[in-house]
Amino acid sequence: MENIIYLSKTIFDWDYYSQWATILPDDKWERPYEMWEYSRALVDNATTEFELGDGIANLKRALNHRLQLIERSYNLRSIHPSWRNKGYLEILEDFGLVRPYLMKSLLTIRNDIEHNDAEPPEKERCKEFVDIVWYFLKSTDPLVQVLKSSNAYDLFDEEGYETHYGFNFELDYKDLNSIEISGWFYDELILNEPGEGFFAVEFNSLHTKKNWEGSRYHNEKLESDKWLNGKILNLDSETKKIIVSQVLSAF
């Protein structure tokens, strides 16, 4: 294809910030708190092992509801083929979003109660799990309250001054193989043939500052600088993970 160029992955080392986000409906992310509150009341007022067991079961419901909402919103399993059968808490751990050990302990206890008729932990331990799930919900609220989907990147020179190079991209979480990108790049970042450490971009436009000749815009650009607008193609799973991680962590 004639409209393919290759862009250096080093651009993802540039400084970045969140550019665009969508506020998500309250009823979706608030629902686990209703389950959590019901569980808290069960555990606080429990006088039998059955009430404690019901409290643990509803904590799992709250946890699973939140995990399912995150996956519906971000489609993270699609990033890597091996993740389709991976535990979701481990996927979130790969992004540095959660520490799964205590959550997995809760799931193990709940499954033991349901499938092996095991006794629930002591009441104080159940109260600890109530607090643990509350902290988990609070720590993942930013993911489900606001859907961040676009970052902007700027290149700074060695003295800390902003250069005129920068770009932005926008994610469609329903199709993470389709990432729109646009921005200004210096010539060495672009190849016409595949190269190690480069990824393919199908461009809609690729030109120099001559495109604005006669206007007051982009006079500071070099003759060799390129403006690029296009779509990233066939991105490897590791780089895709880096991009999504940067979007989720950006402010």
Side-chain angles (χ1 to χ4, degrees):
M1 298 176 66
E2 295 182 356
N3 61 331
I4 300 293
I5 56 92
Y6 300 87
L7 196 56
S8 174
K9 293 180 182 179
T10 60
I11 63 172
F12 297 117
D13 296 331
W14 297 4
D15 287 58
Y16 60 88
Y17 56 91
S18 184
Q19 187 178 45
W20 181 259
T22 303
I23 297 176
L24 298 173
D26 293 354
D27 60 328
K28 300 296 184 183
W29 62 265
E30 287 181 341
R31 177 61 174 161
Y33 283 104
E34 297 174 4
M35 300 173 185
W36 175 86
E37 179 58 34
Y38 179 61
S39 177
R40 184 199 62 77
L42 281 171
V43 170
D44 282 352
N45 299 316
T47 57
T48 69
E49 65 177 79
F50 300 108
E51 291 166 328
L52 290 174
D54 288 344
I56 293 294
N58 279 280
L59 286 178
K60 184 194 176 186
R61 284 184 61 209
L63 174 62
N64 283 344
H65 190 286
R66 175 55 57 87
L67 294 176
Q68 290 165 7
L69 178 57
I70 294 172
E71 174 58 14
R72 287 198 303 272
S73 300
Y74 293 96
N75 196 25
L76 297 181
R77 285 196 186 278
S78 70
I79 291 177
H80 199 287
S82 66
W83 288 1
R84 296 194 179 278
N85 298 314
K86 190 174 184 177
Y88 210 76
L89 287 169
E90 284 83 358
I91 292 176
L92 295 182
E93 183 183 25
D94 283 344
F95 283 93
L97 297 172
V98 301
R99 301 293 295 169
Y101 178 76
L102 292 174
M103 296 296 102
K104 291 169 71 174
S105 296
L106 170 64
L107 297 177
T108 298
I109 291 170
R110 182 267 178 190
N111 289 338
D112 208 26
I113 293 171
E114 179 174 344
H115 301 297
N116 300 318
D117 195 28
E119 290 188 7
E122 296 294 326
K123 187 171 184 177
E124 288 305 308
R125 181 58 173 156
C126 289
K127 286 184 176 181
E128 290 177 8
F129 280 118
V130 170
D131 287 353
I132 289 167
V133 172
W134 183 87
Y135 280 112
F136 172 80
L137 294 177
K138 286 296 182 184
S139 68
T140 55
D141 274 349
L143 289 174
V144 294
Q145 292 174 344
V146 177
L147 186 74
K148 293 188 286 187
S149 58
S150 178
N151 269 11
Y153 290 70
D154 293 314
L155 177 63
F156 289 79
D157 64 22
E158 294 180 353
E159 296 181 351
Y161 293 103
E162 185 177 353
T163 69
H164 54 256
Y165 302 110
F167 69 97
N168 62 71
F169 64 74
E170 186 169 351
L171 299 180
D172 177 0
Y173 289 106
K174 294 179 181 178
D175 181 11
L176 288 172
N177 293 313
S178 177
I179 301 176
E180 302 286 341
I181 186 170
S182 61
W184 280 99
F185 304 95
Y186 56 86
D187 194 46
E188 290 80 1
L189 293 172
I190 299 174
L191 297 178
N192 293 320
E193 301 292 337
E196 185 176 353
F198 286 72
F199 59 89
V201 177
E202 181 181 14
F203 60 86
N204 301 316
S205 60
L206 179 68
H207 46 70
T208 67
K209 70 176 188 178
K210 288 183 179 180
N211 195 67
W212 286 272
E213 197 168 22
S215 77
R216 59 188 177 88
Y217 298 107
H218 306 299
N219 289 328
E220 79 284 3
K221 305 295 193 303
L222 302 178
E223 295 292 341
S224 58
D225 291 342
K226 300 291 195 306
W227 164 261
L228 167 69
N229 174 263
K231 181 184 297 184
I232 298 175
L233 300 177
N234 305 320
L235 198 60
D236 63 274
S237 297
E238 196 57 39
T239 307
K240 200 183 301 182
K241 177 186 170 185
I242 290 172
I243 291 175
V244 173
S245 295
Q246 291 180 347
V247 171
L248 296 183
S249 64
F251 292 98

